[in-house]
Amino acid sequence: MTASVPAQDLRDHFAHCIQVFGGVTASSRRLGIDERALRRFVNGELPVSARLLGDTATALRALIAEATAAADHITAAIGDGTDEPHSKPA
């Protein structure tokens, strides 16, 4: 059984995803969609399709992978961050 999600809820969630990406410009680059079109989706001028949401989910997974790799690199470079940084004597 598939639950039907109201279009407004999909639009709101898509708008949240745009913010997770870092705004319209960053989302445009990640999704390969014109900034004006993204604004039209968020404003309800264009319908948020299943394909758009699927592409968004894929791009979010890629962002997660990039963020995880970046965090792993930091941890490898400085440790887990539980130690207080040592200040240099003045």
Side-chain angles (χ1 to χ4, degrees), residues 10-89:
L10 292 176
R11 233 182 349 267
D12 290 347
H13 186 68
F14 182 72
H16 175 74
C17 293
I18 296 298
Q19 294 308 310
V20 169
F21 284 129
V24 173
T25 301
S27 299
S28 175
R29 285 192 294 266
R30 289 243 176 222
L31 296 170
I33 299 173
D34 180 72
E35 291 181 34
R36 287 177 299 207
L38 288 176
R39 287 187 191 94
R40 291 180 71 197
F41 286 120
V42 170
N43 292 332
E45 297 170 32
L46 292 173
V48 176
S49 68
R51 181 176 176 195
L52 176 60
L53 291 174
D55 291 347
T56 302
T58 298
L60 285 168
R61 284 187 207 95
L63 179 61
I64 291 166
E66 291 171 24
T68 300
D72 290 348
H73 183 79
I74 290 169
T75 300
I78 66 167
D80 63 10
T82 58
D83 294 337
E84 288 293 316
H86 300 284
S87 59
K88 294 181 181 179

